[in-house]
Amino acid sequence: DAPEPIGFAALPAPDDGDVFLDFEGHPFWRADTELFFLFGLIEKSPAGEWEFVEFWAHDKDEEATATKALIDHLAARRVQFPDMHVYHYNHTERSSLERLTVEHGVAELQLEQLISTGQFVDLLPIVRGAMQVGVEGYGLKHTELLTDYERGHEIDKGAGAVVEYEHWMKEDEKDQARLDRIARYNEDDVRATRAVRDWL
């Protein structure tokens, strides 16, 4: 059997249907329950512009709805672009989607088909297998420094997004500006993921 490709050999050819994906979650939404409250991605529009698409969830029922909507979206895009891939950085997006489909009983077969045919591409092991890099670590925030991507810096870390969401949950009158800041942070993550892919 041929060995599994590593490093640059594991990187698919770019496609106009490619998607770059990232999640935001609250690990202690309830004392014993986490919640993925934002599923964000960028994809090329018919006009060729990279557009940010967001799926929000503010409770577990909405999390189930957003999970199914995201997978339906990816499956439909794959029909349109058979050679597209879903890029993410580290395993969290794929493994969390697998868990969420089981937990909520939605879109399990659709997701299994996407995964089994190699649609999901984790860039972290590709970077690790391709090179030694002159930055502090191999996380996205470090690796993206090798590209020319610049963040907005309203929120700099995932923990900051959780804090913003915590404040939003406690407000009697919900401040949309907090969710907008979280969305911009999430968009920075997916655009940085694309920058790393393009740099590779």
Side-chain angles (χ1 to χ4, degrees), residues 142-154:
H142 297 304
T143 306
E144 71 187 60
L145 298 175
L146 300 166
T147 76
D148 60 1
Y149 185 74
E150 293 187 11
R151 288 178 173 262
H153 296 293
E154 283 188 274

PDB file of all heavy atoms in Angstrom, residues 142-154:
ATOM      1  N   HIS A 142       0.297  31.921  15.199  1.00  0.00           N
ATOM      2  CA  HIS A 142       1.731  32.013  14.929  1.00  0.00           C
ATOM      3  C   HIS A 142       2.022  31.793  13.447  1.00  0.00           C
ATOM      4  O   HIS A 142       2.776  32.560  12.834  1.00  0.00           O
ATOM      5  CB  HIS A 142       2.495  30.985  15.766  1.00  0.00           C
ATOM      6  CG  HIS A 142       2.382  31.193  17.236  1.00  0.00           C
ATOM      7  ND1 HIS A 142       2.721  32.371  17.857  1.00  0.00           N
ATOM      8  CD2 HIS A 142       1.947  30.364  18.227  1.00  0.00           C
ATOM      9  CE1 HIS A 142       2.513  32.269  19.154  1.00  0.00           C
ATOM     10  NE2 HIS A 142       2.037  31.065  19.408  1.00  0.00           N
ATOM     11  N   THR A 143       1.419  30.763  12.870  1.00  0.00           N
ATOM     12  CA  THR A 143       1.725  30.416  11.480  1.00  0.00           C
ATOM     13  C   THR A 143       1.291  31.515  10.518  1.00  0.00           C
ATOM     14  O   THR A 143       1.963  31.774   9.516  1.00  0.00           O
ATOM     15  CB  THR A 143       1.046  29.081  11.100  1.00  0.00           C
ATOM     16  OG1 THR A 143       1.430  28.078  12.040  1.00  0.00           O
ATOM     17  CG2 THR A 143       1.457  28.638   9.709  1.00  0.00           C
ATOM     18  N   GLU A 144       0.184  32.189  10.827  1.00  0.00           N
ATOM     19  CA  GLU A 144      -0.284  33.235   9.916  1.00  0.00           C
ATOM     20  C   GLU A 144       0.697  34.402   9.832  1.00  0.00           C
ATOM     21  O   GLU A 144       0.649  35.185   8.871  1.00  0.00           O
ATOM     22  CB  GLU A 144      -1.667  33.739  10.325  1.00  0.00           C
ATOM     23  CG  GLU A 144      -1.667  34.567  11.606  1.00  0.00           C
ATOM     24  CD  GLU A 144      -3.070  34.912  12.081  1.00  0.00           C
ATOM     25  OE1 GLU A 144      -3.854  33.987  12.354  1.00  0.00           O
ATOM     26  OE2 GLU A 144      -3.371  36.113  12.185  1.00  0.00           O
ATOM     27  N   LEU A 145       1.597  34.525  10.803  1.00  0.00           N
ATOM     28  CA  LEU A 145       2.608  35.583  10.755  1.00  0.00           C
ATOM     29  C   LEU A 145       3.551  35.408   9.572  1.00  0.00           C
ATOM     30  O   LEU A 145       4.225  36.362   9.161  1.00  0.00           O
ATOM     31  CB  LEU A 145       3.412  35.620  12.058  1.00  0.00           C
ATOM     32  CG  LEU A 145       2.619  35.928  13.335  1.00  0.00           C
ATOM     33  CD1 LEU A 145       3.525  35.808  14.556  1.00  0.00           C
ATOM     34  CD2 LEU A 145       1.997  37.314  13.256  1.00  0.00           C
ATOM     35  N   LEU A 146       3.616  34.209   9.026  1.00  0.00           N
ATOM     36  CA  LEU A 146       4.459  33.954   7.859  1.00  0.00           C
ATOM     37  C   LEU A 146       3.810  34.465   6.576  1.00  0.00           C
ATOM     38  O   LEU A 146       4.464  34.545   5.537  1.00  0.00           O
ATOM     39  CB  LEU A 146       4.739  32.451   7.737  1.00  0.00           C
ATOM     40  CG  LEU A 146       5.452  31.819   8.935  1.00  0.00           C
ATOM     41  CD1 LEU A 146       5.375  30.299   8.866  1.00  0.00           C
ATOM     42  CD2 LEU A 146       6.895  32.280   9.009  1.00  0.00           C
ATOM     43  N   THR A 147       2.529  34.799   6.642  1.00  0.00           N
ATOM     44  CA  THR A 147       1.802  35.320   5.484  1.00  0.00           C
ATOM     45  C   THR A 147       1.730  36.841   5.595  1.00  0.00           C
ATOM     46  O   THR A 147       2.229  37.432   6.551  1.00  0.00           O
ATOM     47  CB  THR A 147       0.377  34.739   5.422  1.00  0.00           C
ATOM     48  OG1 THR A 147      -0.452  35.397   6.399  1.00  0.00           O
ATOM     49  CG2 THR A 147       0.394  33.238   5.699  1.00  0.00           C
ATOM     50  N   ASP A 148       1.073  37.470   4.637  1.00  0.00           N
ATOM     51  CA  ASP A 148       0.912  38.926   4.704  1.00  0.00           C
ATOM     52  C   ASP A 148      -0.459  39.329   5.243  1.00  0.00           C
ATOM     53  O   ASP A 148      -0.869  40.475   5.115  1.00  0.00           O
ATOM     54  CB  ASP A 148       1.138  39.555   3.327  1.00  0.00           C
ATOM     55  CG  ASP A 148       0.169  39.034   2.273  1.00  0.00           C
ATOM     56  OD1 ASP A 148      -0.698  38.199   2.617  1.00  0.00           O
ATOM     57  OD2 ASP A 148       0.280  39.453   1.103  1.00  0.00           O
ATOM     58  N   TYR A 149      -1.166  38.368   5.890  1.00  0.00           N
ATOM     59  CA  TYR A 149      -2.498  38.682   6.399  1.00  0.00           C
ATOM     60  C   TYR A 149      -2.406  39.515   7.679  1.00  0.00           C
ATOM     61  O   TYR A 149      -1.587  39.229   8.564  1.00  0.00           O
ATOM     62  CB  TYR A 149      -3.308  37.412   6.684  1.00  0.00           C
ATOM     63  CG  TYR A 149      -4.721  37.738   7.101  1.00  0.00           C
ATOM     64  CD1 TYR A 149      -5.636  38.179   6.162  1.00  0.00           C
ATOM     65  CD2 TYR A 149      -5.122  37.660   8.432  1.00  0.00           C
ATOM     66  CE1 TYR A 149      -6.929  38.518   6.532  1.00  0.00           C
ATOM     67  CE2 TYR A 149      -6.410  37.996   8.804  1.00  0.00           C
ATOM     68  CZ  TYR A 149      -7.307  38.429   7.851  1.00  0.00           C
ATOM     69  OH  TYR A 149      -8.584  38.782   8.228  1.00  0.00           O
ATOM     70  N   GLU A 150      -3.246  40.535   7.794  1.00  0.00           N
ATOM     71  CA  GLU A 150      -3.290  41.388   8.982  1.00  0.00           C
ATOM     72  C   GLU A 150      -4.695  41.368   9.565  1.00  0.00           C
ATOM     73  O   GLU A 150      -5.673  41.619   8.863  1.00  0.00           O
ATOM     74  CB  GLU A 150      -2.887  42.824   8.633  1.00  0.00           C
ATOM     75  CG  GLU A 150      -1.424  42.951   8.221  1.00  0.00           C
ATOM     76  CD  GLU A 150      -1.010  44.397   8.039  1.00  0.00           C
ATOM     77  OE1 GLU A 150      -1.784  45.305   8.429  1.00  0.00           O
ATOM     78  OE2 GLU A 150       0.087  44.623   7.502  1.00  0.00           O
ATOM     79  N   ARG A 151      -4.783  41.109  10.858  1.00  0.00           N
ATOM     80  CA  ARG A 151      -6.069  41.042  11.557  1.00  0.00           C
ATOM     81  C   ARG A 151      -6.579  42.431  11.931  1.00  0.00           C
ATOM     82  O   ARG A 151      -5.831  43.393  11.985  1.00  0.00           O
ATOM     83  CB  ARG A 151      -5.927  40.210  12.839  1.00  0.00           C
ATOM     84  CG  ARG A 151      -5.766  38.729  12.577  1.00  0.00           C
ATOM     85  CD  ARG A 151      -5.580  37.948  13.872  1.00  0.00           C
ATOM     86  NE  ARG A 151      -5.592  36.522  13.578  1.00  0.00           N
ATOM     87  CZ  ARG A 151      -6.665  35.739  13.711  1.00  0.00           C
ATOM     88  NH1 ARG A 151      -7.779  36.239  14.176  1.00  0.00           N
ATOM     89  NH2 ARG A 151      -6.591  34.455  13.401  1.00  0.00           N
ATOM     90  N   GLY A 152      -7.885  42.466  12.242  1.00  0.00           N
ATOM     91  CA  GLY A 152      -8.500  43.709  12.666  1.00  0.00           C
ATOM     92  C   GLY A 152      -8.191  44.075  14.112  1.00  0.00           C
ATOM     93  O   GLY A 152      -8.215  45.222  14.498  1.00  0.00           O
ATOM     94  N   HIS A 153      -7.964  43.076  14.978  1.00  0.00           N
ATOM     95  CA  HIS A 153      -7.532  43.249  16.377  1.00  0.00           C
ATOM     96  C   HIS A 153      -8.587  43.838  17.311  1.00  0.00           C
ATOM     97  O   HIS A 153      -8.265  44.293  18.396  1.00  0.00           O
ATOM     98  CB  HIS A 153      -6.254  44.087  16.458  1.00  0.00           C
ATOM     99  CG  HIS A 153      -5.076  43.436  15.804  1.00  0.00           C
ATOM    100  ND1 HIS A 153      -4.499  42.283  16.285  1.00  0.00           N
ATOM    101  CD2 HIS A 153      -4.378  43.756  14.685  1.00  0.00           C
ATOM    102  CE1 HIS A 153      -3.496  41.931  15.506  1.00  0.00           C
ATOM    103  NE2 HIS A 153      -3.408  42.800  14.519  1.00  0.00           N
ATOM    104  N   GLU A 154      -9.868  43.804  16.939  1.00  0.00           N
ATOM    105  CA  GLU A 154     -10.890  44.153  17.928  1.00  0.00           C
ATOM    106  C   GLU A 154     -10.933  43.078  19.013  1.00  0.00           C
ATOM    107  O   GLU A 154     -11.091  43.377  20.202  1.00  0.00           O
ATOM    108  CB  GLU A 154     -12.253  44.268  17.264  1.00  0.00           C
ATOM    109  CG  GLU A 154     -12.461  45.548  16.489  1.00  0.00           C
ATOM    110  CD  GLU A 154     -13.890  45.685  16.030  1.00  0.00           C
ATOM    111  OE1 GLU A 154     -14.217  45.148  14.965  1.00  0.00           O
ATOM    112  OE2 GLU A 154     -14.678  46.335  16.747  1.00  0.00           O
TER     113      GLU A 154
END
